[in-house]
Amino acid sequence: MNEKTFKITNQESGKDLGLERKDAVLGPSVVDITALYREQGVFTYDPGFGATACCSSTITYIDGEQGVLMYRGYPIEQLAAHSTYIEVAYLLMYGELPTQEELTGFDQSIRNHTMLNESFLRFFNGFDHDAHPMAMVSGIVACMSAFYHDSTDIQDAAHRDVFAHRIIAKIPTIAAAAFKHSLKQPFVYPKNELDYCSNLLHMLFSVPTGSYEVDPIAAEALNLLFILHADHEQNCSTSTVRLAGSSGTNPYSAISAGISALWGPAHGGANEAVINMLEEVGSSENITQYVAKAKDKNDPFRLMGFGHRVYKNHDPRATIIRKMCHRVLEKLGREQDTPLFELALELEQIALKDSYFIEKNLYPNVDFYSGIIYQALGIPKSMFTVMFAIARTVGWVAQWREMVRDPETRIGRPRQRYIGPAERNYIPITNR
Ligand code: SDX
């Protein structure tokens, strides 16, 4: 890549500073500002990091203007059409599509690590049954560092591999255990003969009193949703995993921090918020009123599932999920969920014709339709963000592995623009 130099000039001192430009393989170049403070005594200012690259990465590429998403160079549309979640997990982790032998070995390793340490299951009994599943999952994942001392040396490649396989394998079991605890039902153990998504459905929905057959359509729908949610560049939760991991903390704690960040309604919590919003809108007659609320600066209401920091055109994942909705609802015979889907479609059509949404480049994102499919699969709203966390775990793991091995990695420590009081003297309480 050709390296060029950006010149900036300090108006007061007239001092020129050449800032090195580093070009990217795809997308915007970056200006290396590491010398800026040392040479010019100033910080850059970018709340929300909308124009700030925190790292160099080879994993996922997004073009927000063109609505492009690629994992290791493969367009998401092709992976959605031809791949499986486990194959995508291998691709994100190791950088290349696996051979049949590599895929079989990886898949078997994941299947062999799905069971939880029995002491772990007792941890769930410490939660009330009405605890939000995301609270249970983030807490239990953080506790993994208390059990797995054999995989916390982040400088040891073997430890990093054991951690990666273990967390990818166990996150569905932890998620299902949280769901069962919220239902006051017994935990269901994983079955290693089932594929990743079928095993999750088995652990979510089977009960000891009867047999449970996994619906292949449901497994196929989950597999596609998980591919679409697997990674997404330096989003809020991934950046959290990288920042936490940059201190050298154990990887389970870093992933737990990512789960907590994902929970927010502005991020992964939006899929749950979308269904709440659609249920509040209720019917087509109310759409105009709610679109007006979303546009009203004095009204905190936002159209959940709309807008994105990066996509200023369509979110390719939303396009794929929207197409999938009809097929899945029909195949699952879940016509009763169709009204909510029809309402979402109508809301999207009205919003996309409205100048406010057009001018602000607000389009449906990945969360706008995903909840409709999760609901059709019998998964309650409180579990929607947990499903997102299961899928995104491999993305967090891949990004964490890249961060740990990146020679440019230093502990993340942003600065600030101080606008508080200048120095002043202490006043004894009797004089205040
Ligand atoms: C995910 O980063 C990722 O990659 C995330 C993700 C991933 O895979 O990891 O893609 C997953 O988090 C998707 C986003 C899910 N969140 C939502 O659907 C919540 C609703 N959306 C918004 O809160 C918002 O659009 C964000 C958080 C997604 C993006 O926020 P930004 O980039 O900080 O944009 P902003 O809040 O500055 O909004 C810009 C303008 C504002 O108006 P002005 O102040 O310029 O007048 O657009 C308005 C906002 O008020 N706006 C909305 C809106 N989203 C933005 N107005 C109404 N409804 C909305 N949904």
mmCIF file of all heavy atoms in Angstrom, residues 5-9 16-19:
data_model
loop_
_atom_site.group_PDB
_atom_site.id
_atom_site.type_symbol
_atom_site.label_atom_id
_atom_site.label_comp_id
_atom_site.label_asym_id
_atom_site.label_seq_id
_atom_site.Cartn_x
_atom_site.Cartn_y
_atom_site.Cartn_z
ATOM 1 N N THR A 5 1.618 11.406 2.887
ATOM 2 C CA THR A 5 1.669 12.256 4.086
ATOM 3 C C THR A 5 0.655 13.380 3.981
ATOM 4 O O THR A 5 0.526 14.008 2.938
ATOM 5 C CB THR A 5 3.083 12.873 4.237
ATOM 6 O OG1 THR A 5 3.998 11.781 4.309
ATOM 7 C CG2 THR A 5 3.176 13.700 5.495
ATOM 8 N N PHE A 6 -0.119 13.556 5.044
ATOM 9 C CA PHE A 6 -1.007 14.722 5.167
ATOM 10 C C PHE A 6 -0.225 15.796 5.916
ATOM 11 O O PHE A 6 0.399 15.503 6.931
ATOM 12 C CB PHE A 6 -2.228 14.367 6.025
ATOM 13 C CG PHE A 6 -3.358 13.774 5.263
ATOM 14 C CD1 PHE A 6 -3.381 12.417 4.992
ATOM 15 C CD2 PHE A 6 -4.379 14.568 4.783
ATOM 16 C CE1 PHE A 6 -4.430 11.861 4.279
ATOM 17 C CE2 PHE A 6 -5.435 14.008 4.067
ATOM 18 C CZ PHE A 6 -5.454 12.660 3.817
ATOM 19 N N LYS A 7 -0.238 16.992 5.391
ATOM 20 C CA LYS A 7 0.425 18.072 6.132
ATOM 21 C C LYS A 7 -0.624 18.844 6.925
ATOM 22 O O LYS A 7 -1.691 19.139 6.396
ATOM 23 C CB LYS A 7 1.112 19.036 5.144
ATOM 24 C CG LYS A 7 2.525 18.604 4.772
ATOM 25 C CD LYS A 7 3.344 19.803 4.307
ATOM 26 C CE LYS A 7 4.748 19.372 3.874
ATOM 27 N NZ LYS A 7 5.401 18.478 4.864
ATOM 28 N N ILE A 8 -0.355 19.131 8.218
ATOM 29 C CA ILE A 8 -1.218 20.086 8.914
ATOM 30 C C ILE A 8 -0.299 21.178 9.437
ATOM 31 O O ILE A 8 0.871 20.914 9.742
ATOM 32 C CB ILE A 8 -2.027 19.467 10.081
ATOM 33 C CG1 ILE A 8 -1.118 19.030 11.221
ATOM 34 C CG2 ILE A 8 -2.906 18.344 9.619
ATOM 35 C CD1 ILE A 8 -1.893 18.861 12.525
ATOM 36 N N THR A 9 -0.852 22.389 9.474
ATOM 37 C CA THR A 9 -0.013 23.508 9.921
ATOM 38 C C THR A 9 -0.629 24.134 11.160
ATOM 39 O O THR A 9 -1.837 24.398 11.192
ATOM 40 C CB THR A 9 0.069 24.594 8.805
ATOM 41 O OG1 THR A 9 0.545 23.954 7.619
ATOM 42 C CG2 THR A 9 1.001 25.704 9.213
ATOM 43 N N ASP A 16 4.684 23.225 10.593
ATOM 44 C CA ASP A 16 4.066 22.193 9.765
ATOM 45 C C ASP A 16 4.226 20.835 10.430
ATOM 46 O O ASP A 16 5.272 20.561 11.019
ATOM 47 C CB ASP A 16 4.811 22.125 8.418
ATOM 48 C CG ASP A 16 3.953 22.782 7.343
ATOM 49 O OD1 ASP A 16 2.785 23.097 7.692
ATOM 50 O OD2 ASP A 16 4.429 22.971 6.214
ATOM 51 N N LEU A 17 3.185 20.048 10.373
ATOM 52 C CA LEU A 17 3.352 18.671 10.868
ATOM 53 C C LEU A 17 2.875 17.726 9.775
ATOM 54 O O LEU A 17 1.732 17.805 9.356
ATOM 55 C CB LEU A 17 2.519 18.453 12.149
ATOM 56 C CG LEU A 17 2.550 17.013 12.670
ATOM 57 C CD1 LEU A 17 3.947 16.713 13.228
ATOM 58 C CD2 LEU A 17 1.510 16.803 13.754
ATOM 59 N N GLY A 18 3.756 16.878 9.316
ATOM 60 C CA GLY A 18 3.364 15.903 8.304
ATOM 61 C C GLY A 18 2.776 14.678 8.998
ATOM 62 O O GLY A 18 3.458 14.011 9.771
ATOM 63 N N LEU A 19 1.477 14.452 8.809
ATOM 64 C CA LEU A 19 0.858 13.256 9.413
ATOM 65 C C LEU A 19 0.838 12.161 8.364
ATOM 66 O O LEU A 19 0.367 12.355 7.249
ATOM 67 C CB LEU A 19 -0.571 13.585 9.877
ATOM 68 C CG LEU A 19 -0.680 14.541 11.064
ATOM 69 C CD1 LEU A 19 -2.143 14.812 11.404
ATOM 70 C CD2 LEU A 19 0.026 13.962 12.283
#
